[in-house]
Amino acid sequence: MSSSSRKLEVASPVPADIDIANSVEPLHISEIAKDLNLNPLHYDLYGKYKAKVLLSAFDELQGQEDGYYVVVGGITPTPLGEGKSTTTVGLCQALGAYLNKKVVTCLRQPSQGPTFGIKGGAAGGGYSQVIPMDEFNLHLTGDIHAITASNNLLAAAIDTRIFHEASQSDKALFNRLCPVNKEGKRSFSDIMFRRLNKLGISKTTPEELTPEEIKKFARLDIDPDSITWRRVMDVNDRFLRKITVGQGPEEKGMTRETGFDISVASEIMAVLALTTSLGDMRERLGKMVIGNSKAGDPITADDLGVGGALTVLMKDAINPTLMQTLEGTPVLVHAGPFANIAHGNSSIVADKIALKLVGPGGFVVTEAGFGSDIGTEKFMNIKCRYSGLTPQCAIVVATVRALKMHGGGPDVVAGRPLDHAYVSENVSLVEAGCVNLAKHISNTKAYGVNVVVAVNMFSTDTEAELNAVRKFSMDAGAFDAVICSHHAHAGKGAVDLGIAVEKACQNITQPLRFLYPLEISIKDKIEAIAKSYGASGVEYSDQAEKQIEMYTQQGFSNLPICMSKTQYSFSHDASKKGAPTGFVLPIRDVRGSIGAGFIYPLVGTMSTMPGLPTRPCFYEIDIDSVTGKVRGLS
């Protein structure tokens, strides 16, 4: 057992998550860092229990061999979730506190929207949590606030540029963009050379430009109807989904309909998650496309002159945050992109640093959002393409509850008591639902990794039901299938899972195989993913056809695909449980996160700004004014 890890005394029944979290005094984060052999020069303390790990840590360890790389996905979930985060944390507690392995958990940072809304926090649960739980679920080290600020700076730049171009001649616009200095001369700022190069203009001083070149350089001529960039905030606020800006008298009637997304839906969050270095982040932020000119050319953040400023706002956010589990094993929390319109995985930077810190024989365990048809698929085809990393093992988290739903059980609705079918033994219903599990196993195995099924056990599950899941998993081609009780028993309840994962990593024999090559067309890539869902074909709306043609003409057809569809079914229809086949997947629209580096087709309607329910989680959240402890977080 490592010096910082510890074994918990557990209580039954399991207390509330926040009560468990508050019952454990976290170690000073310097102790966690010391256990990882992390040089104090390579992290900055943020209070007692958090630290920012600097990118210099990776630079110092570049010669070090990587540890094992494990991704945690899941079966198609119920609206209650099946415990992927809890399993990820529980497995790492088992590896570190019980199996004496070097291990780092890599998790996404949760949005505050769900924390105060309907879902609650995302620190794991029961005796498998990241602590301090309140700090993890709230401001953390300010990364999401940095994303909010940079996103909204770009939004302000867009509307301001349209405003100024509408009221100025080409010459006046150019003169203000390149003002005369104290010596009476004009000059280009460094960022302006990016736009000049894009336009094929090789001149180095403003005086050299012809009137035609001045117009091309200074006038972006943004088509307001083409703008895809929206403002963001990290709160669920349904009344901001659709707004009108520019209603003040000084804006001279230049109103525009737009809206807000939640901050984690910003492309800047996806950029943060997929970047590999500070220089790479600068390039990605500058390449973000906000819309088109009236001539149909893509307009980027660098065209607006703001790419460098966005990077400055994000310069600290690129560093992952070091935290700890209840049992003292290290956690890197970094980035939290949406799992539908984005790829739903924590950052490449955190994974790369962690793999060096654990070294040969150590483990880095990261979670992929939603079911493995979405999260693991995007982990493999998007994240691993950009990182160059290869996982050895993929976990599929399953629950008896979800398998009963896929076998034909009644609807599971958040906030309502579970139907009797879910709390009494019904082996045949479980077996019928295992078709969903089998599809996830076969899809994940296709990438060349060993698949371990983690059956997240609930108190109402029976031995016969659990054995049925285990047998079905092995028959479907899993490397192993393990019953886990980490929610109730901490790392001790996931020791068998840890042993299975180690064996799976040691016995990998195949290279990583992607689902599609990047060189094929956008449609061919979409259809390869649709086929993996079980679709017999794809149907494109007129809008989707138009967008595919536009992105192809603009030179973006070689990007990977990030499918945006419901997480509640392999198909586009959330009511189709199990493993549906023969359906035609409808593509309503196709959009691009060009800076982040993917095209995302929309299958149905996706909300990027959640709303609050009648009784949000915030009713339970308060503070103990004597101790300062947070109460009621879930």
Side-chain angles (χ1 to χ4, degrees), residues 305-571:
V306 74
L310 301 182
T311 311
V312 168
L313 284 170
M314 292 292 293
K315 72 180 179 61
D316 295 321
I318 197 173
N319 300 313
T321 300
L322 181 65
M323 296 187 74
Q324 63 192 284
T325 67
L326 286 167
E327 296 190 292
T329 61
V331 181
L332 285 178
V333 186
H334 202 212
F338 256 34
N340 45 34
I341 65 161
H343 64 294
N345 283 261
S346 60
S347 78
I348 287 173
V349 164
D351 290 0
K352 284 195 157 190
I353 292 172
L355 285 163
K356 295 298 181 191
L357 288 171
V358 300
F363 292 84
V364 171
V365 184
T366 188
E367 179 199 346
F370 294 157
S372 59
D373 56 320
I374 299 175
T376 304
E377 183 270 308
K378 294 174 182 180
F379 171 86
M380 301 292 185
N381 291 304
I382 299 176
K383 185 175 180 181
C384 288
R385 278 191 205 270
Y386 285 122
S387 71
L389 300 172
T390 299
Q392 289 77 38
C393 174
I395 294 170
V396 176
V397 177
T399 62
V400 166
R401 175 179 69 196
L403 292 171
K404 284 181 174 178
M405 180 191 72
H406 287 295
D411 286 346
V412 175
V413 181
R416 288 190 203 163
L418 285 170
D419 187 274
H420 180 70
Y422 294 106
V423 293
S424 57
E425 183 171 282
N426 191 330
V427 175
S428 61
L429 198 60
V430 173
E431 289 174 338
C434 279
V435 292
N436 183 269
L437 174 56
K439 180 72 171 164
H440 284 289
I441 292 170
S442 62
N443 275 11
T444 307
K445 275 187 73 177
Y447 295 107
V449 295
N450 284 329
V451 176
V452 173
V453 174
V455 187
N456 188 18
M457 187 174 75
F458 287 74
S459 59
T460 52
D461 299 342
T462 69
E463 190 175 346
E465 289 172 332
L466 294 166
N467 286 339
V469 180
R470 189 175 187 284
K471 181 181 184 304
F472 199 97
S473 300
M474 300 305 291
D475 291 345
F479 181 87
D480 205 345
V482 183
I483 314 301
C484 308
S485 61
H486 43 273
H487 183 274
H489 300 125
K492 187 177 180 181
V495 167
D496 288 346
L497 178 62
I499 292 167
V501 165
E502 182 175 25
K503 287 178 182 173
C505 289
Q506 290 170 342
N507 286 279
I508 192 69
T509 57
Q510 304 174 70
L512 179 62
R513 295 193 297 265
F514 297 122
L515 190 58
Y516 53 81
L518 291 179
E519 299 74 35
I520 62 176
S521 70
I522 291 173
K523 279 191 174 182
D524 285 344
K525 284 180 273 200
I526 291 171
E527 283 153 26
I529 297 170
K531 188 177 176 184
S532 77
Y533 299 153
S536 59
V538 178
E539 184 178 75
Y540 301 92
S541 70
D542 290 344
Q543 171 68 7
E545 293 276 9
K546 178 181 155 192
Q547 292 292 101
I548 289 170
E549 185 180 352
M550 180 190 77
Y551 287 127
T552 302
Q553 286 177 350
Q554 290 178 343
F556 302 134
S557 64
N558 62 338
L559 293 174
I561 299 296
C562 184
M563 202 75 89
S564 177
K565 79 167 183 73
T566 178
Q567 69 268 38
Y568 296 123
S569 173
F570 271 109
S571 76

Side-chain angles (χ1 to χ4, degrees), residues 38 42 53-62 353 356-357:
L38 186 58
H42 298 318
V53 180
L54 308 179
L55 301 190
S56 57
F58 178 79
D59 297 335
E60 185 176 84
L61 295 167
Q62 261 188 321
I353 292 172
K356 295 298 181 191
L357 288 171

Side-chain angles (χ1 to χ4, degrees), residues 163-233:
F163 174 80
H164 288 306
E165 285 191 18
S167 59
Q168 297 178 48
S169 67
D170 295 342
K171 187 175 180 183
L173 193 62
F174 182 71
N175 287 344
R176 285 186 172 93
L177 287 169
C178 304
V180 175
N181 61 21
K182 290 176 183 177
E183 288 78 40
K185 293 184 178 181
R186 301 182 188 277
S187 63
F188 293 120
S189 63
D190 287 346
I191 199 169
M192 290 177 174
F193 287 105
R194 292 175 180 249
R195 176 153 179 82
L196 290 166
N197 290 337
K198 178 179 174 180
L199 296 170
I201 299 171
S202 57
K203 296 169 183 176
T204 56
T205 60
E207 288 80 8
E208 294 178 86
L209 267 62
T210 66
E212 185 185 353
E213 288 171 335
I214 285 172
K215 180 173 184 175
K216 281 171 68 178
F217 167 77
R219 195 165 292 282
L220 301 182
D221 203 24
I222 298 168
D223 177 1
D225 293 335
S226 76
I227 295 171
T228 54
W229 199 264
R230 289 156 61 93
R231 289 162 173 84
V232 300
M233 67 188 309

